[in-house]
Coordinates of all heavy atoms in Angstrom, one line a residue:
M723 N -12.0 25.9 19.7 CA -12.1 24.9 18.6 C -13.5 24.4 18.5 O -14.2 24.1 19.5 CB -11.2 23.7 19.0 CG -11.2 22.6 18.0 SD -10.1 21.3 18.5 CE -11.0 19.9 17.9
D724 N -14.0 24.4 17.3 CA -15.4 23.9 17.1 C -15.4 22.4 17.0 O -14.8 21.8 16.0 CB -15.9 24.6 15.8 CG -17.3 24.3 15.5 OD1 -18.0 23.8 16.4 OD2 -17.8 24.6 14.4
I725 N -16.0 21.7 17.9 CA -16.0 20.3 18.0 C -16.8 19.7 16.8 O -16.4 18.7 16.2 CB -16.6 19.8 19.3 CG1 -15.7 20.2 20.5 CG2 -16.8 18.3 19.3 CD1 -16.3 20.0 21.8
Q726 N -17.9 20.3 16.4 CA -18.6 19.9 15.3 C -17.8 19.9 14.0 O -17.9 19.0 13.2 CB -19.9 20.7 15.1 CG -21.0 20.4 16.2 CD -22.2 21.2 16.0 OE1 -22.1 22.3 15.4 NE2 -23.3 20.8 16.5
S727 N -17.0 20.9 13.9 CA -16.2 21.0 12.7 C -15.1 19.9 12.6 O -14.9 19.3 11.6 CB -15.5 22.4 12.7 OG -14.6 22.5 11.6
A728 N -14.5 19.6 13.8 CA -13.6 18.5 13.9 C -14.2 17.2 13.6 O -13.7 16.4 12.8 CB -12.9 18.5 15.2
L729 N -15.4 17.0 14.1 CA -16.1 15.8 13.9 C -16.5 15.6 12.4 O -16.3 14.6 11.8 CB -17.4 15.7 14.7 CG -18.2 14.4 14.7 CD1 -17.4 13.2 15.2 CD2 -19.5 14.6 15.5
Y730 N -17.0 16.7 11.8 CA -17.4 16.7 10.4 C -16.1 16.5 9.5 O -16.2 15.7 8.5 CB -18.0 18.1 10.0 CG -18.4 18.1 8.6 CD1 -19.5 17.4 8.1 CD2 -17.7 18.9 7.7 CE1 -19.9 17.5 6.7 CE2 -18.0 19.0 6.3 CZ -19.1 18.3 5.9 OH -19.5 18.4 4.6
S731 N -15.0 17.1 9.8 CA -13.8 16.9 9.0 C -13.3 15.4 9.1 O -12.9 14.9 8.1 CB -12.7 17.8 9.5 OG -13.0 19.1 9.3
G732 N -13.4 14.9 10.3 CA -13.1 13.5 10.4 C -14.0 12.5 9.6 O -13.5 11.6 9.0
M733 N -15.3 12.8 9.7 CA -16.2 12.0 8.9 C -16.0 12.1 7.4 O -16.0 11.2 6.7 CB -17.6 12.4 9.2 CG -18.1 12.1 10.7 SD -18.1 10.3 11.0 CE -19.5 9.8 10.0
Q734 N -15.7 13.4 7.0 CA -15.5 13.6 5.6 C -14.2 12.9 5.1 O -14.1 12.3 4.0 CB -15.4 15.1 5.3 CG -15.7 15.6 4.0 CD -15.7 17.1 3.9 OE1 -15.1 17.8 4.7 NE2 -16.5 17.6 3.0
G735 N -13.1 13.0 5.9 CA -11.9 12.4 5.6 C -12.0 10.9 5.6 O -11.4 10.2 4.7
F736 N -12.8 10.3 6.5 CA -13.0 8.9 6.5 C -13.7 8.4 5.3 O -13.4 7.4 4.7 CB -13.7 8.4 7.8 CG -13.9 7.0 7.9 CD1 -12.9 6.1 8.3 CD2 -15.1 6.4 7.5 CE1 -13.1 4.8 8.3 CE2 -15.3 5.0 7.6 CZ -14.3 4.2 8.0
S737 N -14.7 9.2 4.9 CA -15.4 8.9 3.6 C -14.5 8.9 2.4 O -14.6 8.0 1.6 CB -16.6 9.9 3.5 OG -17.3 9.6 2.3
R738 N -13.6 9.9 2.3 CA -12.7 9.9 1.2 C -11.7 8.7 1.2 O -11.4 8.1 0.2 CB -11.9 11.2 1.2 CG -12.7 12.4 0.7 CD -11.7 13.6 0.5 NE -11.0 14.0 1.7 CZ -11.4 14.9 2.6 NH1 -12.5 15.6 2.4 NH2 -10.6 15.2 3.6
A739 N -11.3 8.4 2.4 CA -10.4 7.3 2.6 C -11.1 6.0 2.2 O -10.5 5.1 1.5 CB -9.8 7.2 4.0
S740 N -12.3 5.8 2.6 CA -13.1 4.6 2.2 C -13.2 4.5 0.7 O -13.1 3.4 0.1 CB -14.5 4.7 2.9 OG -15.2 3.6 2.5
A741 N -13.5 5.6 0.0 CA -13.6 5.6 -1.4 C -12.3 5.3 -2.0 O -12.2 4.6 -3.0 CB -14.1 7.0 -1.9
G742 N -11.2 5.8 -1.5 CA -9.9 5.5 -2.0 C -9.5 4.0 -1.8 O -8.9 3.4 -2.7
V743 N -9.9 3.4 -0.7 CA -9.7 2.0 -0.5 C -10.5 1.2 -1.6 O -10.0 0.2 -2.2 CB -10.1 1.5 0.9 CG1 -10.2 0.0 1.0 CG2 -9.1 2.0 1.9
T744 N -11.7 1.6 -1.8 CA -12.5 0.9 -2.8 C -11.9 1.0 -4.2 O -11.8 0.0 -4.9 CB -13.9 1.5 -2.9 OG1 -14.5 1.3 -1.6 CG2 -14.8 0.8 -3.9
D745 N -11.4 2.2 -4.6 CA -10.7 2.4 -5.9 C -9.5 1.5 -6.0 O -9.3 0.9 -7.0 CB -10.4 3.9 -6.1 CG -11.6 4.7 -6.3 OD1 -12.7 4.2 -6.6 OD2 -11.4 6.0 -6.2
A746 N -8.7 1.5 -5.0 CA -7.4 0.8 -5.0 C -7.7 -0.7 -5.1 O -7.1 -1.5 -5.9 CB -6.6 1.0 -3.8
T747 N -8.7 -1.2 -4.4 CA -9.1 -2.6 -4.4 C -9.6 -3.0 -5.8 O -9.3 -4.1 -6.3 CB -10.2 -2.9 -3.4 OG1 -9.7 -2.5 -2.1 CG2 -10.5 -4.4 -3.3
L748 N -10.4 -2.1 -6.4 CA -10.9 -2.4 -7.8 C -9.7 -2.4 -8.8 O -9.7 -3.3 -9.7 CB -11.9 -1.4 -8.2 CG -13.3 -1.4 -7.5 CD1 -14.1 -0.3 -7.9 CD2 -14.0 -2.7 -7.8
D749 N -8.8 -1.5 -8.6 CA -7.6 -1.5 -9.5 C -6.8 -2.8 -9.4 O -6.4 -3.4 -10.4 CB -6.7 -0.3 -9.2 CG -7.3 1.0 -9.7 OD1 -8.2 1.0 -10.6 OD2 -6.8 2.0 -9.3
I750 N -6.6 -3.3 -8.2 CA -5.9 -4.5 -7.9 C -6.6 -5.7 -8.5 O -6.0 -6.5 -9.2 CB -5.6 -4.7 -6.4 CG1 -4.7 -3.7 -5.9 CG2 -5.1 -6.1 -6.1 CD1 -4.6 -3.6 -4.4
N751 N -7.9 -5.7 -8.4 CA -8.7 -6.8 -8.9 C -8.6 -6.8 -10.5 O -8.4 -7.8 -11.1 CB -10.2 -6.6 -8.5 CG -11.0 -7.8 -8.9 OD1 -10.5 -8.9 -9.2 ND2 -12.3 -7.6 -9.0
R752 N -8.8 -5.6 -11.1 CA -8.7 -5.5 -12.6 C -7.3 -6.0 -13.1 O -7.2 -6.8 -14.0 CB -8.9 -4.1 -13.0 CG -10.3 -3.7 -13.0 CD -10.5 -2.3 -13.7 NE -11.7 -1.7 -13.1 CZ -11.7 -0.7 -12.3 NH1 -10.6 -0.1 -11.9 NH2 -12.8 -0.2 -11.8
Q753 N -6.3 -5.6 -12.4 CA -4.9 -5.9 -12.8 C -4.6 -7.4 -12.6 O -4.0 -8.0 -13.5 CB -3.9 -5.1 -12.1 CG -3.9 -3.6 -12.5 CD -3.1 -2.7 -11.5 OE1 -2.3 -3.2 -10.8 NE2 -3.4 -1.4 -11.6
T754 N -5.1 -8.0 -11.6 CA -4.9 -9.4 -11.3 C -5.7 -10.2 -12.3 O -5.1 -11.2 -12.9 CB -5.4 -9.7 -9.9 OG1 -4.7 -8.9 -8.9 CG2 -5.2 -11.2 -9.6
R755 N -6.9 -9.8 -12.7 CA -7.7 -10.5 -13.7 C -7.0 -10.4 -15.1 O -6.9 -11.4 -15.8 CB -9.1 -10.0 -13.8 CG -10.0 -10.5 -12.7 CD -11.3 -9.9 -12.8 NE -12.2 -10.3 -11.7 CZ -13.4 -10.8 -11.9 NH1 -13.9 -11.0 -13.1 NH2 -14.1 -11.2 -10.9
A756 N -6.5 -9.3 -15.4 CA -5.8 -9.1 -16.7 C -4.5 -9.9 -16.8 O -4.2 -10.5 -17.8 CB -5.5 -7.6 -16.9
N757 N -3.8 -10.0 -15.6 CA -2.6 -10.8 -15.6 C -2.9 -12.3 -15.8 O -2.3 -13.0 -16.5 CB -1.8 -10.6 -14.3 CG -1.1 -9.3 -14.2 OD1 -1.0 -8.6 -15.2 ND2 -0.8 -8.9 -13.0
R758 N -4.0 -12.7 -15.1 CA -4.4 -14.2 -15.2 C -4.8 -14.5 -16.6 O -4.5 -15.5 -17.2 CB -5.4 -14.5 -14.2 CG -4.9 -14.6 -12.8 CD -6.0 -15.0 -11.8 NE -5.5 -15.1 -10.5 CZ -6.2 -15.0 -9.4 NH1 -7.5 -15.0 -9.5 NH2 -5.6 -15.1 -8.2
Q759 N -5.6 -13.6 -17.2 CA -6.1 -13.8 -18.6 C -4.9 -13.9 -19.6 O -4.8 -14.7 -20.4 CB -7.1 -12.8 -19.0 CG -7.6 -13.0 -20.4 CD -8.6 -11.9 -20.8 OE1 -8.9 -10.9 -20.0 NE2 -9.2 -12.0 -21.9
N760 N -4.0 -13.0 -19.4 CA -2.8 -12.9 -20.2 C -1.9 -14.2 -20.1 O -1.4 -14.7 -21.0 CB -2.0 -11.7 -19.9 CG -0.9 -11.4 -21.0 OD1 -1.0 -11.9 -22.1 ND2 0.1 -10.6 -20.7
E761 N -1.8 -14.6 -18.8 CA -1.0 -15.9 -18.6 C -1.7 -17.1 -19.2 O -1.0 -17.9 -19.8 CB -0.8 -16.1 -17.1 CG 0.2 -15.1 -16.5 CD 0.3 -15.2 -15.0 OE1 -0.5 -16.1 -14.4 OE2 1.0 -14.5 -14.4
T762 N -3.0 -17.1 -19.2 CA -3.8 -18.2 -19.8 C -3.6 -18.2 -21.3 O -3.3 -19.2 -21.9 CB -5.3 -18.1 -19.4 OG1 -5.4 -18.1 -18.0 CG2 -6.0 -19.2 -20.1
E763 N -3.7 -17.0 -21.9 CA -3.4 -16.9 -23.3 C -2.0 -17.3 -23.7 O -1.8 -17.9 -24.7 CB -3.7 -15.4 -23.8 CG -5.2 -15.0 -23.7 CD -5.4 -13.6 -23.9 OE1 -4.5 -12.8 -24.1 OE2 -6.6 -13.2 -23.9
Q764 N -1.1 -16.9 -22.9 CA 0.3 -17.3 -23.1 C 0.5 -18.8 -23.1 O 1.2 -19.4 -23.9 CB 1.3 -16.6 -22.1 CG 1.4 -15.1 -22.3 CD 2.3 -14.8 -23.6 OE1 3.1 -15.6 -23.9 NE2 2.0 -13.7 -24.2
A765 N -0.2 -19.4 -22.1 CA -0.1 -20.9 -22.0 C -0.7 -21.6 -23.2 O -0.1 -22.6 -23.7 CB -0.7 -21.3 -20.7
V766 N -1.8 -21.1 -23.7 CA -2.4 -21.7 -24.9 C -1.5 -21.5 -26.1 O -1.3 -22.4 -26.9 CB -3.8 -21.0 -25.1 CG1 -4.4 -21.4 -26.5 CG2 -4.8 -21.4 -24.0
A767 N -0.9 -20.3 -26.2 CA 0.0 -20.1 -27.3 C 1.2 -21.0 -27.2 O 1.7 -21.5 -28.2 CB 0.4 -18.6 -27.4
Q768 N 1.7 -21.2 -26.0 CA 2.9 -22.0 -25.8 C 2.6 -23.5 -26.1 O 3.4 -24.2 -26.7 CB 3.4 -21.9 -24.4 CG 4.0 -20.6 -24.0 CD 5.3 -20.3 -24.9 OE1 6.0 -21.2 -25.2 NE2 5.4 -19.0 -25.2
T769 N 1.4 -23.9 -25.8 CA 1.0 -25.3 -26.1 C 0.9 -25.5 -27.6 O 1.3 -26.5 -28.2 CB -0.4 -25.6 -25.5 OG1 -0.2 -25.4 -24.1 CG2 -0.8 -27.0 -25.7
A770 N 0.4 -24.5 -28.3 CA 0.3 -24.5 -29.8 C 1.6 -24.5 -30.5 O 1.8 -25.1 -31.5 CB -0.6 -23.4 -30.3
A771 N 2.6 -23.8 -29.9 CA 3.9 -23.6 -30.5 C 4.9 -24.1 -29.5 O 5.6 -23.2 -28.9 CB 4.1 -22.2 -31.0
A772 N 5.1 -25.3 -29.3 CA 6.0 -25.9 -28.3 C 7.4 -25.5 -28.5 O 8.2 -25.5 -27.6 CB 5.8 -27.4 -28.2
E773 N 7.9 -25.2 -29.7 CA 9.3 -25.0 -30.0 C 9.7 -23.5 -29.6 O 10.9 -23.3 -29.5 CB 9.6 -25.2 -31.5 CG 8.9 -24.2 -32.4 CD 7.5 -24.6 -32.8 OE1 7.1 -25.7 -32.4 OE2 6.9 -23.8 -33.5
Q774 N 8.7 -22.7 -29.3 CA 9.1 -21.3 -28.9 C 9.4 -21.3 -27.4 O 8.7 -21.9 -26.6 CB 7.9 -20.3 -29.2 CG 7.7 -20.2 -30.7 CD 6.5 -19.2 -31.0 OE1 5.8 -18.8 -30.0 NE2 6.3 -19.0 -32.2
P775 N 10.4 -20.4 -27.0 CA 10.6 -20.3 -25.5 C 9.5 -19.6 -24.8 O 8.8 -18.8 -25.4 CB 11.9 -19.5 -25.5 CG 12.0 -18.7 -26.8 CD 11.2 -19.6 -27.8
R776 N 9.2 -20.0 -23.6 CA 8.1 -19.5 -22.8 C 8.5 -18.1 -22.3 O 9.4 -17.9 -21.6 CB 7.7 -20.4 -21.7 CG 6.6 -19.9 -20.9 CD 6.2 -20.8 -19.7 NE 5.3 -20.2 -18.9 CZ 4.0 -20.5 -18.8 NH1 3.6 -21.5 -19.5 NH2 3.2 -19.9 -17.9
T777 N 7.6 -17.2 -22.6 CA 7.7 -15.8 -22.0 C 6.4 -15.4 -21.5 O 5.4 -15.7 -22.2 CB 8.2 -14.8 -23.1 OG1 7.3 -14.8 -24.2 CG2 9.6 -15.1 -23.6
V778 N 6.4 -14.8 -20.4 CA 5.1 -14.3 -19.8 C 5.1 -12.8 -19.9 O 6.0 -12.2 -19.3 CB 4.9 -14.8 -18.4 CG1 3.7 -14.3 -17.8 CG2 4.9 -16.4 -18.4
Q779 N 4.1 -12.3 -20.5 CA 4.0 -10.8 -20.6 C 2.8 -10.4 -19.8 O 1.8 -11.2 -19.8 CB 3.9 -10.3 -22.0 CG 5.1 -10.7 -22.9 CD 4.8 -10.3 -24.3 OE1 3.7 -10.0 -24.7 NE2 5.8 -10.4 -25.1
T780 N 2.8 -9.3 -19.1 CA 1.7 -8.9 -18.3 C 1.0 -7.7 -19.0 O 1.7 -7.0 -19.7 CB 2.1 -8.5 -16.9 OG1 3.1 -7.4 -17.0 CG2 2.7 -9.7 -16.1
A781 N -0.3 -7.6 -18.8 CA -1.1 -6.6 -19.4 C -0.9 -5.2 -18.7 O -1.2 -4.2 -19.2 CB -2.5 -7.0 -19.5
E782 N -0.4 -5.3 -17.5 CA -0.3 -4.1 -16.7 C 1.0 -3.3 -17.0 O 1.9 -3.9 -17.6 CB -0.3 -4.4 -15.2 CG 0.9 -5.2 -14.8 CD 1.0 -5.4 -13.3 OE1 1.1 -4.4 -12.6 OE2 0.9 -6.6 -12.9
Q783 N 1.0 -2.1 -16.7 CA 2.2 -1.3 -16.8 C 3.1 -1.6 -15.6 O 2.6 -2.0 -14.6 CB 1.8 0.2 -16.7 CG 1.0 0.7 -17.9 CD 0.6 2.1 -17.7 OE1 0.9 2.8 -16.7 NE2 -0.2 2.6 -18.6
P784 N 4.4 -1.5 -15.8 CA 5.3 -1.9 -14.7 C 5.0 -1.0 -13.5 O 5.0 0.2 -13.6 CB 6.7 -1.6 -15.3 CG 6.5 -1.6 -16.8 CD 5.1 -1.2 -17.0
G785 N 4.9 -1.7 -12.4 CA 4.7 -1.0 -11.1 C 3.3 -0.6 -10.8 O 3.0 -0.1 -9.8
S786 N 2.3 -0.8 -11.7 CA 1.0 -0.3 -11.5 C 0.3 -1.1 -10.4 O -0.5 -0.5 -9.6 CB 0.1 -0.3 -12.8 OG 0.0 -1.6 -13.3
L787 N 0.5 -2.4 -10.3 CA 0.0 -3.2 -9.2 C 0.6 -2.8 -7.9 O -0.1 -2.6 -6.9 CB 0.2 -4.7 -9.5 CG -0.4 -5.6 -8.4 CD1 -1.9 -5.5 -8.3 CD2 0.0 -7.1 -8.8
T788 N 1.9 -2.5 -7.9 CA 2.6 -2.0 -6.8 C 2.0 -0.7 -6.3 O 1.8 -0.5 -5.1 CB 4.1 -1.9 -7.0 OG1 4.6 -3.2 -7.5 CG2 4.9 -1.5 -5.8
N789 N 1.8 0.2 -7.3 CA 1.2 1.5 -6.9 C -0.1 1.4 -6.3 O -0.5 2.1 -5.4 CB 1.2 2.4 -8.2 CG 2.5 2.8 -8.6 OD1 3.5 2.8 -7.9 ND2 2.6 3.2 -9.9
S790 N -0.9 0.4 -6.8 CA -2.3 0.2 -6.3 C -2.2 -0.3 -4.8 O -3.0 0.1 -4.0 CB -3.1 -0.7 -7.1 OG -3.3 -0.1 -8.4
L791 N -1.3 -1.2 -4.6 CA -1.1 -1.7 -3.2 C -0.6 -0.6 -2.3 O -1.0 -0.6 -1.1 CB -0.1 -2.9 -3.2 CG -0.6 -4.2 -3.9 CD1 0.5 -5.2 -4.1 CD2 -1.7 -4.8 -3.0
I792 N 0.3 0.2 -2.8 CA 0.8 1.4 -1.9 C -0.4 2.3 -1.6 O -0.6 2.8 -0.5 CB 1.9 2.1 -2.6 CG1 3.2 1.2 -2.6 CG2 2.2 3.4 -2.0 CD1 4.3 1.7 -3.5
Q793 N -1.2 2.6 -2.7 CA -2.4 3.4 -2.5 C -3.3 2.8 -1.4 O -3.9 3.5 -0.6 CB -3.1 3.7 -3.8 CG -4.4 4.5 -3.6 CD -5.2 4.6 -4.9 OE1 -4.9 4.0 -5.9 NE2 -6.3 5.3 -4.8
L794 N -3.5 1.5 -1.5 CA -4.4 0.9 -0.5 C -3.9 1.1 0.9 O -4.6 1.4 1.8 CB -4.5 -0.6 -0.9 CG -5.4 -1.5 0.0 CD1 -6.8 -1.0 -0.1 CD2 -5.3 -3.0 -0.4
G795 N -2.6 0.9 1.1 CA -2.0 1.1 2.4 C -2.1 2.6 2.9 O -2.4 2.8 4.1
Q796 N -1.9 3.5 2.0 CA -2.1 4.9 2.3 C -3.5 5.2 2.7 O -3.7 6.0 3.7 CB -1.6 5.8 1.2 CG -0.2 5.8 0.9 CD 0.2 6.6 -0.4 OE1 -0.6 6.8 -1.3 NE2 1.5 7.0 -0.5
E797 N -4.4 4.7 2.0 CA -5.8 5.0 2.3 C -6.2 4.4 3.6 O -7.0 4.9 4.4 CB -6.8 4.5 1.2 CG -6.5 5.2 -0.1 CD -6.8 6.7 -0.1 OE1 -7.4 7.3 0.9 OE2 -6.4 7.4 -1.1
Q798 N -5.7 3.2 3.9 CA -5.9 2.6 5.2 C -5.4 3.5 6.4 O -6.1 3.7 7.3 CB -5.3 1.2 5.3 CG -5.5 0.5 6.6 CD -4.7 -0.8 6.8 OE1 -3.9 -1.1 5.9 NE2 -4.8 -1.4 7.9
R799 N -4.2 4.0 6.2 CA -3.7 4.9 7.2 C -4.5 6.2 7.3 O -4.7 6.7 8.4 CB -2.2 5.2 7.0 CG -1.3 4.0 7.3 CD 0.2 4.3 7.2 NE 0.6 4.6 5.9 CZ 0.8 3.7 4.9 NH1 0.7 2.4 5.2 NH2 1.2 4.1 3.7
N800 N -4.9 6.7 6.2 CA -5.8 7.9 6.2 C -7.1 7.6 7.0 O -7.5 8.5 7.8 CB -6.1 8.3 4.8 CG -5.0 9.0 4.1 OD1 -4.0 9.4 4.7 ND2 -5.1 9.1 2.8
A801 N -7.7 6.5 6.7 CA -8.9 6.1 7.5 C -8.6 6.0 9.0 O -9.4 6.5 9.8 CB -9.5 4.8 6.9
Q802 N -7.5 5.4 9.3 CA -7.2 5.2 10.8 C -7.0 6.6 11.4 O -7.5 6.8 12.5 CB -6.0 4.3 10.9 CG -6.2 2.9 10.6 CD -4.9 2.1 10.5 OE1 -3.8 2.6 10.4 NE2 -5.1 0.8 10.7
A803 N -6.3 7.5 10.7 CA -6.1 8.8 11.3 C -7.4 9.6 11.4 O -7.6 10.3 12.4 CB -5.2 9.6 10.3
N804 N -8.3 9.5 10.5 CA -9.6 10.1 10.6 C -10.5 9.5 11.7 O -11.2 10.3 12.3 CB -10.3 10.1 9.2 CG -9.7 11.1 8.3 OD1 -9.8 12.3 8.5 ND2 -9.1 10.7 7.2
V805 N -10.4 8.2 11.9 CA -11.1 7.6 13.0 C -10.6 8.2 14.3 O -11.4 8.4 15.2 CB -11.0 6.1 12.9 CG1 -11.5 5.4 14.2 CG2 -11.8 5.5 11.8
K806 N -9.3 8.3 14.4 CA -8.7 8.9 15.6 C -9.2 10.3 15.9 O -9.5 10.7 17.0 CB -7.2 9.0 15.5 CG -6.5 7.6 15.7 CD -6.5 7.3 17.2 CE -5.5 6.1 17.4 NZ -5.5 5.7 18.8
S807 N -9.3 11.1 14.8 CA -9.8 12.5 15.0 C -11.3 12.5 15.4 O -11.7 13.3 16.2 CB -9.6 13.3 13.7 OG -10.4 12.9 12.7
I808 N -12.1 11.5 14.9 CA -13.5 11.4 15.3 C -13.6 11.0 16.7 O -14.4 11.6 17.5 CB -14.2 10.4 14.4 CG1 -14.3 10.9 12.9 CG2 -15.6 10.0 14.9 CD1 -14.8 9.8 11.9
Q809 N -12.8 10.0 17.1 CA -12.8 9.6 18.5 C -12.4 10.7 19.5 O -13.0 10.9 20.5 CB -11.8 8.4 18.7 CG -12.3 7.1 18.1 CD -11.3 6.0 18.2 OE1 -10.1 6.3 18.3 NE2 -11.7 4.8 18.0
T810 N -11.4 11.5 19.1 CA -10.9 12.6 19.9 C -12.0 13.7 20.0 O -12.3 14.2 21.1 CB -9.6 13.3 19.3 OG1 -8.6 12.3 19.2 CG2 -9.2 14.4 20.1
A811 N -12.7 14.0 18.9 CA -13.8 15.0 18.9 C -14.9 14.5 19.8 O -15.5 15.2 20.6 CB -14.3 15.2 17.5
D812 N -15.2 13.2 19.8 CA -16.2 12.6 20.6 C -15.8 12.7 22.1 O -16.7 13.0 22.9 CB -16.4 11.1 20.2 CG -17.5 10.4 21.0 OD1 -18.6 11.0 21.1 OD2 -17.2 9.3 21.6
E813 N -14.6 12.4 22.4 CA -14.1 12.5 23.8 C -14.2 13.9 24.3 O -14.6 14.2 25.5 CB -12.7 11.9 23.9 CG -12.6 10.4 23.7 CD -11.2 9.9 23.6 OE1 -10.2 10.7 23.9 OE2 -11.0 8.8 23.3
V814 N -13.8 14.9 23.5 CA -13.8 16.3 23.9 C -15.3 16.7 24.1 O -15.6 17.4 25.1 CB -13.1 17.2 22.8 CG1 -13.4 18.6 23.1 CG2 -11.6 16.9 22.8
L815 N -16.1 16.3 23.2 CA -17.5 16.6 23.4 C -18.1 16.0 24.7 O -18.8 16.7 25.4 CB -18.4 16.1 22.2 CG -19.9 16.4 22.2 CD1 -20.1 17.9 22.3 CD2 -20.5 15.8 21.0
G816 N -17.7 14.8 25.0 CA -18.1 14.2 26.2 C -17.6 14.9 27.4 O -18.3 15.1 28.4
S817 N -16.4 15.4 27.4 CA -15.8 16.1 28.5 C -16.5 17.5 28.7 O -16.8 17.9 29.8 CB -14.3 16.4 28.2 OG -13.6 15.2 28.2
V818 N -16.8 18.1 27.5 CA -17.5 19.4 27.6 C -18.9 19.2 28.2 O -19.3 20.0 29.1 CB -17.6 20.1 26.2 CG1 -18.6 21.3 26.2 CG2 -16.2 20.5 25.7
I819 N -19.6 18.2 27.8 CA -20.9 17.9 28.4 C -20.8 17.7 29.9 O -21.6 18.1 30.7 CB -21.6 16.8 27.7 CG1 -22.0 17.2 26.3 CG2 -22.8 16.3 28.4 CD1 -22.5 16.1 25.4
D820 N -19.8 16.9 30.3 CA -19.6 16.6 31.7 C -19.3 17.8 32.5 O -19.7 18.0 33.7 CB -18.5 15.5 31.9 CG -18.9 14.1 31.4 OD1 -20.1 13.9 31.3 OD2 -17.9 13.3 31.2
I821 N -18.5 18.7 31.9 CA -18.1 20.0 32.7 C -19.3 20.9 32.8 O -19.5 21.5 33.9 CB -17.0 20.7 31.9 CG1 -15.7 19.9 32.0 CG2 -16.8 22.1 32.4 CD1 -14.6 20.5 31.1
R822 N -20.2 20.9 31.8 CA -21.3 21.9 31.9 C -22.5 21.3 32.7 O -23.3 22.0 33.2 CB -21.8 22.1 30.4 CG -20.9 23.0 29.7 CD -21.5 23.4 28.4 NE -20.5 24.2 27.6 CZ -20.7 24.7 26.4 NH1 -21.8 24.4 25.8 NH2 -19.8 25.4 25.8
V823 N -22.5 20.0 33.0 CA -23.6 19.4 33.7 C -23.3 19.5 35.2 O -22.7 19.9 35.9 CB -23.8 18.0 33.3 CG1 -24.8 17.3 34.3 CG2 -24.3 17.9 31.9

């Protein structure tokens, strides 16, 4: 087994997971802001037309916030798995160095 290859794969995987966490976080932020803005607009419209029943509509597609939260959790687990592979490659490299010395 090539230790450098395992270490490189772990670093590459961690980098992808980090980018995925960033993307999911940005999606959650955008959706939350859109929801708040929509709720504010709905409140203003309700104040202007008090006789209409209050309905809150969200700007997001159904489940998209949920999907972003799920993606965030998956990317977190991906990052943790890649950190484990980096740690294992480091330990193996340390053992190889100790054996050769």
Side-chain angles (χ1 to χ4, degrees):
M723 179 176 144
D724 187 9
I725 296 170
Q726 289 179 334
S727 177
L729 185 63
Y730 179 72
S731 294
M733 293 295 291
Q734 208 174 24
F736 182 79
S737 179
R738 282 192 305 266
S740 178
V743 166
T744 301
D745 290 344
T747 303
L748 289 173
D749 286 344
I750 291 167
N751 187 23
R752 281 186 208 110
Q753 292 168 14
T754 302
R755 284 179 181 230
N757 287 344
R758 286 185 182 159
Q759 182 179 2
N760 193 18
E761 288 174 0
T762 302
E763 291 170 359
Q764 288 288 330
V766 169
Q768 290 298 325
T769 303
E773 67 277 355
Q774 294 178 354
R776 181 181 169 108
T777 58
V778 177
Q779 298 173 351
T780 58
E782 67 175 295
Q783 297 175 0
S786 60
L787 182 60
T788 303
N789 290 339
S790 295
L791 289 169
I792 290 170
Q793 179 188 357
L794 181 62
Q796 288 174 338
E797 297 299 345
Q798 178 187 4
R799 287 187 293 282
N800 286 342
Q802 290 170 340
N804 283 296
V805 165
K806 283 281 193 186
S807 68
I808 293 168
Q809 289 172 339
T810 301
D812 182 51
E813 290 171 7
V814 169
L815 181 60
S817 297
V818 168
I819 290 172
D820 290 343
I821 290 172
R822 289 188 181 176
V823 171

